[in-house]
Amino acid sequence: MIISGGEDSRIIVTSLLTGDVLIKVDHHRGPVNSIRIDSTGEFLVTGSSDCTVCLWCLDGFSLLRSTVLPSPVTMIDISADSVFLLAACEDQKLYLRCLATGTEIHTLRGHQGDVKSICLARDCRRAIAGGIKGKISVFDMHSGRLTRTLPANPSADVTAVKVTEKDDFLITASGDRVAYWSFRSEEANTKRQKSSSAESLHPHTAPISCLDISRDRAMAVTGGVDSLVNLWQLNTHELLYTFEGHIASVTCIAFSPSGLFVASGSEDKTIRVWGLNLSILVTTFKHQAPVTAVTVMYDGRRVVSSDRAGGIRVWAADTGTLIQSVCGPGRCFTVSSDMRYAICGTGDNQLRIIGLGIGPEEKYQVSHSQEITCLVVTPDSRSLITGSRDMSLKVWQLAGGKLSQVLVGHTDHVTCVAVAVLDKSIVVSGSRDANLIIWDINTGSDLHTLKGHLGYITCVKLSGDGSLAASGSEDKSLIIWDTKKGCSLSSIMLHVPVLGLEVATDLSRLALHLLEHKCMPILCLHNTPAQYVKLPDYVAPWSDIRDLRLPGPKRPHKRLLKKEVSLDSDTWHRKYGHLTSGMLTIIRWEDRDYERKI
């Protein structure tokens, strides 16, 4: 069959044997500019001027996913492994997305001018763009960087680019010329760059102590007992950079919401901010005791950190300037999404909600009858959920610290709790009783009890839409659950107990933290039914930054008037008489006129 798209916004499927029209699809609201079929022949991708890219199943022509781009789409291409989607738009930008989920991976920058042709190499790593005035750019899709530009014919536009089957040659068409470029040299150059940079890459030689993944779920960062901070590519499981500078084990680590830097805290009483674009140390902030926790606020400009001495500091990420100092209890566990509150505790049965920012410092106290073991703040920054050794969970109002709900159902200590981004009513908790319970936060009722683990639950995460949950256990297993039906979908057995995990919002990628292990397994879930949810962006107004600065030393008020001096009449006439002599003369003449009238 032949599939075509036209200016009438339709997609028409025609039989190659009979010439009959099999189906007409009228979905796009603009001209269909580009069509691609994946290597398996099962899926069709269409790009249109209505700023959308649609993924279709060829069996029945059902729409699987529609991805919205910032500008009208001019052309698209798919990688050989059907993982990457590259789209060129009228805004002269190249957008790299995940084909299955539509997740944004990179915006390829560096090509100047309009894009006339694009192509993806067979190695599923390189992207080629041809443009006006003979410009040809080669990008690394995994890092999103421009790796090479080719000196083509500047008098004509590059109207077509194509890579041969084994990536031996790159063929470009420009004007009346067709040029062949050796593409192996590009791969060799990449390998040489890798070998030269491999000397500065050091995998962990001691157990990993902390990990985090970026908001776009493209990278992961780990800190280890060996004082190293490593940056990893989640798609390729490749070690990108090793940051060295700490002189003791790394205790905590956090990505900035923008993904531009990473903050790492250590036993050496310092927090270091690492820039990811240039792979350099941006700033260092010093504490008076070993650092226990670090969090980057949603504005990407402030960092909250705490140490063992009980000090909590808010400081600027780019300069290390102290903005606010709070004498809190021990450790800052988390910061609310609206950046107004920090939740702190010492590991006992009490937590304090501390206000950050404008006005006097607010402090609210929440407590359980026994030690608090886990907590989470809802994405809307309205509620705080705590779990305890007293086998219960409590829901608190973040503004005011009032108790709004108690969740009772576990038969042993509560060990972990998670909430979803979209479905704010669902809460999942794990316990030492080896069970997970799905709660309705509004009514306090338990919807499902998930049974399948043989040991106590150590961690749990929810997908962004709340449809899936992933849990790790002391029994060395990881299970994926359907929260709507209350059943398990998949499981995997590991050789080491799972301490924690970080997941993408659609659970397509999972990074695992294992007990006393120097490796970080990265799991890929294909055909996940969960919907990808873009985490909300929050940018604080400048007034928040300005008002959070520490007040400077008080200065004496300037006197508006000079010091008053008592003067007699002779001294006054000598010093100031010349200033008022004219006025006195006028007054005398007015007095004489007044006497004559009388």
Side-chain angles (χ1 to χ4, degrees), residues 215-270:
R215 286 168 63 92
D216 59 4
R217 308 314 181 191
M219 294 180 292
V221 63
T222 57
V225 179
D226 53 7
S227 73
L228 298 179
V229 175
N230 281 334
L231 183 68
W232 308 83
Q233 184 81 31
L234 284 181
N235 290 336
T236 62
H237 308 171
E238 181 183 2
L239 177 59
L240 299 179
Y241 301 110
T242 295
F243 300 104
E244 299 180 87
H246 288 294
I247 58 176
S249 32
V250 181
T251 57
C252 50
I253 203 161
F255 262 106
S256 68
S258 61
L260 296 179
F261 66 87
V262 168
S264 61
S266 170
E267 293 276 353
D268 61 9
K269 306 178 184 179
T270 65

Side-chain angles (χ1 to χ4, degrees), residues 378-394:
T378 55
D380 57 6
S381 300
R382 293 184 179 181
S383 302
L384 167 68
I385 306 171
T386 58
S388 170
R389 294 173 65 93
D390 61 11
M391 300 181 290
S392 70
L393 295 102
K394 293 184 178 181

Side-chain angles (χ1 to χ4, degrees), residues 159-172:
T159 54
V161 289
K162 190 70 176 178
V163 178
T164 56
E165 184 176 356
K166 297 182 179 180
D167 287 343
D168 294 331
F169 299 99
L170 170 66
I171 307 173
T172 62

Side-chain angles (χ1 to χ4, degrees), residues 498-573:
V498 182
L499 291 184
L501 73 156
E502 295 291 338
V503 301
T505 55
D506 58 354
L507 256 65
S508 60
R509 295 290 187 275
L510 298 93
L512 305 184
H513 183 197
L514 304 182
L515 175 65
E516 296 183 356
H517 208 275
K518 60 183 179 181
C519 296
M520 177 189 63
I522 300 173
L523 303 183
C524 177
L525 296 183
H526 296 284
N527 301 322
T528 169
Q531 177 186 358
Y532 176 79
V533 177
K534 183 175 175 59
L535 296 176
D537 295 327
Y538 183 90
V539 179
W542 173 247
S543 60
D544 288 0
I545 307 294
R546 180 189 60 203
D547 296 336
L548 279 176
R549 291 175 176 171
L550 289 176
K554 293 184 178 180
R555 294 179 297 180
H557 294 289
K558 293 182 178 180
R559 299 184 64 87
L560 300 179
L561 299 175
K562 291 185 178 181
K563 187 176 180 180
E564 297 175 0
V565 180
S566 177
L567 301 176
D568 54 19
S569 58
D570 293 333
T571 305
W572 189 89
H573 278 292

Side-chain angles (χ1 to χ4, degrees), residues 263-456:
S264 61
S266 170
E267 293 276 353
D268 61 9
K269 306 178 184 179
T270 65
I271 297 177
R272 296 175 183 266
V273 177
W274 312 93
L276 300 184
N277 287 338
L278 301 177
S279 305
I280 59 173
L281 176 65
V282 177
T283 186
T284 301
F285 186 82
K286 295 183 179 180
H287 273 266
Q288 300 298 320
V291 180
T292 57
V294 62
T295 302
V296 183
M297 288 194 179
Y298 269 48
D299 60 4
R301 293 185 287 181
R302 290 175 288 175
V303 179
V304 183
S305 57
S306 60
D307 56 36
R308 288 181 187 169
I312 298 175
R313 306 287 184 264
V314 183
W315 45 279
D318 53 349
T319 62
T321 305
L322 181 66
I323 298 175
Q324 185 179 10
S325 180
V326 179
C327 237
R331 179 182 175 188
C332 174
F333 288 106
T334 187
V335 176
S336 60
S337 300
D338 60 2
M339 304 184 295
R340 294 181 56 192
Y341 300 100
I343 292 86
C344 313
T346 55
D348 55 8
N349 67 329
Q350 294 182 348
L351 288 176
R352 281 205 292 176
I353 303 174
I354 299 178
L356 301 175
I358 306 171
E361 183 180 316
E362 299 177 90
K363 291 185 181 180
Y364 308 108
Q365 186 169 300
V366 300
S367 63
H368 280 259
S369 60
Q370 295 186 35
E371 175 187 341
I372 295 176
T373 55
C374 56
L375 62 92
V376 68
V377 176
T378 55
D380 57 6
S381 300
R382 293 184 179 181
S383 302
L384 167 68
I385 306 171
T386 58
S388 170
R389 294 173 65 93
D390 61 11
M391 300 181 290
S392 70
L393 295 102
K394 293 184 178 181
V395 183
W396 312 85
Q397 294 179 10
L398 204 56
K402 294 183 180 180
L403 180 64
S404 58
Q405 194 68 259
V406 179
L407 310 177
V408 179
H410 285 293
T411 58
D412 208 334
H413 308 161
V414 180
T415 56
C416 52
V417 63
V419 294
V421 177
L422 293 184
D423 195 343
K424 301 179 178 62
S425 63
I426 291 182
V427 177
V428 179
S429 62
S431 170
R432 289 185 67 91
D433 59 11
N435 296 330
L436 295 106
I437 298 181
I438 303 176
W439 307 88
D440 187 334
I441 194 175
N442 297 324
T443 63
S445 60
D446 53 334
L447 304 178
H448 299 287
T449 299
L450 309 179
K451 298 182 179 181
H453 287 290
L454 302 178
Y456 67 84

